[in-house]
């Protein structure tokens, strides 16, 4: 059901580390991320704002880049352990005729831009500037004082195919979602928790959401309450609720440019290779737990495009149980 | 806007105290209330089950009575302070040609059955048998280990009229909901917090919900999680969310007979008479806070009938912003 | 064991409402109460600062009054329900040759100063100016964002005698602490929860502590963490821990003038008159729960004097199990 | 200040995984760990009980082994990633004339017993039997429903020396504690959070404590409350409090044989190699945060011996600021 994993991968990606988003109004986006999620501004100027969670020592996990229209995702960043992992990565992508290019990226060590086989633009580096963690500076906390970036979810036209690519890079599945023989969702990790990269079937590649952890159940509500009080009440798109896969509490917000960000409480630990991934069988894409209404149609179908990347639809269109469809079916019963 | 309050009422109702519901399957309902809400069984036999919250010292706050079809509410119970308040109450109702009748009620002191002007059946008593509070017997806790019954909400065809009746009995409004000059919701209390009796416009009298407190935000999720794990996932009807009026976190569940029970975290203190009730202006009945999807149509329109009580529709039918309507309007934009 | 309670008292005290403390450095005390406890400043000038909890609608529950040396308590404030309760109170105290005097108190309605038989200076009023509650203005919260003043504890040379005085005013015991036939602690309330006034045996009258509620367990830690980060780490005197009587989580802090303030999570509901007070038998004054080290000696013996009030020692000196004594006894075993 | 770390270690230890303790009364110890900490029994017979946390998929993280006197620690278990890491480990220890021996261990794959240079007995394996995680089986939770084993703390006569040994195996310091030029505490990890192995100066090798995570602040209190209610109130030895290093909330309990177990909420993420360990300078061994009383003398000096391992005292005896000394010094001021 799942593609084979290369447990001794050609280079060592250690974790998802930072995401680059374009935004139409930098001040507005900064307000959302600092006052609702409670991220800390590490550094900023008129065109870019670098943010991190209160537990993070690295310079940035979220980079907001001013752009005319906003609403696109520029890069998903991953860390590799050593500098020479970057060279191995460069060779690996080049050998497969995939884009690979050295770039300068402020506040990061040597940085490599690559793309996976469906065009998802990635950014690899092995070091960043560091700053003191703020996790016990309680008096500086704002909003949900999110702790750290945890993972990304991308939509891909063929989940199995993309899962196989990342499996060859050492990503393992903690859990996965199937319908019959079809892999609909792959919840993949490198860092020893449930997730670094979730791949879900849909027109793609697109960035469906990125996720920050909060420390306690209560902070799921905190994120909502600050959103509501600060004028972002409509941004609460789905939840609060609990996921089946992973089992964590969540809420999804849409930022001022429509980028979707998840706030959730913490995952279990993975690490050991003998543990089998947990399989969830579902007629559709849902990650609903055992209670709660289905997600809105837009939660399934809207996502941030990557700059200048061509998207492709899945061969079999998805027909998830959206809230809209659920209510129609209820009514006709 | 609000009817005058009699601050020196003819008899002293102190709080909402117990509710009598009919249920079709006593074992099933007992399972729901003990294992999801975490109520404690004080006493039971084959036809009735007496339950209380973990903080409660009185014999029962919820009485489940086996009945062929279940799904009706028999009585809303209120406590009066002294035994002679019962006599004053008897006279008060008789003088107004309202039903008033002495009855025997197990585990309660002298008990009086009365009905308000729209026929809501009430039960007044001044004492009950007592039991030790279980609030620090943590090792006995189950489910959301709900603390205590807090309030009822009834639907009434004319909120102002019924609010006036209870105002004459000393009930004050903590908050209220209006549309223009029309009172749509009256959030009334006797016990020094926000609520003992909420009155909301709708076909009635019907019991819309009754509510138990939980101690912390997390237990809002606990109620949902136990519901989901124990086969009652579909019973989670609305929420988790936050109310505007009152400002508390909530979730609404439907019990096996369709009775609606709210679980919420605690209210602020009222008591002082110079504090003005908080006014909320709304185009409809919603008690939504600043975030979260609207409630389902059934949350607005379904409620438990009282046994043998004739219902009446409001003169102006309510047309609340239901989730169903909201999604249709979103789609057509 | 307990003195009789007058359930139809001569005037209606409804709750503990505000405390007046002298402080040597108003700015420093303001900093402590706003940034550690998270109280809201309603109004202030160079010599007085009026504060309230985030759930409170009345103008002040804590009044800090600049005075050369600070460290004294000027008055314990109680609310009565009606203005004519004040007149009844005036007569009641005068008839018993106890001090009673009308005063002007800013931001309060008609105000009466009285003293109980051991000289505790009280302040009664029936109204205050009001302000909007801040309990859902999450974005303004600071520190432990304490909700509301809950109770005072006074030390008295004869607990039974003072308990009898307040019982005649309608105060009931929720719980009490005895050693053999001696009443060591009386936990008395008017407002329908566990406490408005705790009376504990000791040299007095002195104000042992006053207490604010917080909404959740976590905020017990929040108070400590903000104290620690803002330079008041040494002010954490006892706890976090759990009380036996009442059963709530607590921590005690000392403010910059040494006034002791408790932060605790919420109490159970009382109200009904048939419920028997809970008796705790103890060899000494401890209110320890079933775990945790004993309190420091100073927790038992230090307290704020009332301005110009003569103190008296109990006939039998108390010899509580202090932490100091406990460790000595452990060592010698 | 810190010894060099071998970032490409000879074999890959991934995490602390299980601890073997002797207990005098298996039923009593089982009661403590299942009902206070809330560990799950995976398997047991009359002489051994295998337990795991609710988030753990591996067969055991705590092994209780019946032994006449109890109170000793038999082994600290670590996982390696691959089976061939075990062979590399065997060679590594043998080459250094350190004990290394293949053993049979039920429910584990190939298992290697080794000892570090001061004699700490370790157990390495690369696989275990697995079981379903119980983390969303809320209805089965007991006590503090601890999530997973996180780390061990050992006392060692020379912290720097032992830290150097583990640094050569790829353990890095998240934080460390010094007095002048002397390393007093090394907080070392492999798994990408703060800790797998803490080394602190003291007579050793001895097992000072092992630690399980809980999900939220509230569960720190839950552990205490269940301990208190189930007859283990005196087992609460230190806390609840907050650590300086690591910054987490904690409480320390002593089990029926005197083994010390810590319950704490979660750590921050480490992983990246460019982040400098955080240095704490202290006159003594304390890991106190910014508030809270010092730990009892026994917290510093009592620890579980390893079976048949000779202990050695540090060259310079430690003189930490114990609670006992603190109170004496306070008194003499």
């Amino acid at each position: 059901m799942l593609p084979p994993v290369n447990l001794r991968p050609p280079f060592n990606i250690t974790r998802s580390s930072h995401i680059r988003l374009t935004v139409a109004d930098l001040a507005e986006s900064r307000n959302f991320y600092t006052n609702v999620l409670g991220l800390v501004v590490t550094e900023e100027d008129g065109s870019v704002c670098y943010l991190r969670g209160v537990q993070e020592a690295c310079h940035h996990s979220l980079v907001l880049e001013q752009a005319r229209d906003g609403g696109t995702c520029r890069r998903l960043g991953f860390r590799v352990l050593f500098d020479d992992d970057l060279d191995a990565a460069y060779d690996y992508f080049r050998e497969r005729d995939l884009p690979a290019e050295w770039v300068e990226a402020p506040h990061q060590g040597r940085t490599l831009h690559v793309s996976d086989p469906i065009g998802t633009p990635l950014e690899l580096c092995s070091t960043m500037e560091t700053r003191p963690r703020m996790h016990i500076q309680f008096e500086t906390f704002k909003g949900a004082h999110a702790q750290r970036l945890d993972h990304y979810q991308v939509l891909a036209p063929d989940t199995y195919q993309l899962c196989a690519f990342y499996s060859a890079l050492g990503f393992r599945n903690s859990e996965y979602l199937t319908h019959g023989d079809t892999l609909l969702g792959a919840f993949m990790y490198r860092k020893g928790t449930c997730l670094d990269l979730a791949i879900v079937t849909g027109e793609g590649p697109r960035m469906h959401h990125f996720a920050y952890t909060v420390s306690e159940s209560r902070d799921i509500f905190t994120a909502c309450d600050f959103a509501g009080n600060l004028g972002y009440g409509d941004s609460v798109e789905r939840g609060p609720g609990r996921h089946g896969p992973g089992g964590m509490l969540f809420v999804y917000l849409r930022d001022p440019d429509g980028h979707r960000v998840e706030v959730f409480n913490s995952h279990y630990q993975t690490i050991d290779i003998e543990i089998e991934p947990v399989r969830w069988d579902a007629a559709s894409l849902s990650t609903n737990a055992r209670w709660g209404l289905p997600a809105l149609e837009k939660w399934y179908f809207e996502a941030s495009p990557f700059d200048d990347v061509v998207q492709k639809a899945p061969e079999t269109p998805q027909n998830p149980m959206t809230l809209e469809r659920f209510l129609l079916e209820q009514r006709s019963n």
Side-chain angles (χ1 to χ4, degrees), chain A residues 20-24 26 47-50 63-67 70 74:
Chain A
R20 295 182 183 275
L21 302 177
T22 67
V23 301
L26 193 56
S47 63
V48 62
C49 182
Y50 296 94
V63 186
L64 304 176
E65 303 181 1
Q66 173 90 50
R74 288 206 163 135

Side-chain angles (χ1 to χ4, degrees), chain A residues 217-269:
Chain A
S217 314
R218 175 164 111 176
D219 296 318
I220 302 290
F221 290 120
T222 308
C224 298
D225 286 329
F226 275 80
N229 279 9
L230 299 177
Y232 301 104
D234 291 342
S235 84
V236 179
E237 187 188 43
R238 182 184 174 194
R242 185 180 292 279
H243 283 304
M248 63 280 195
L249 294 168
F250 67 82
V251 67
Y252 292 92
L253 307 173
R254 301 293 289 270
D255 85 359
D257 291 276
H259 298 297
R260 186 180 291 107
V261 60
E262 182 185 11
V263 169
F264 74 105
N265 68 349
S266 71
H267 273 151
Y268 59 79
Q269 181 177 286

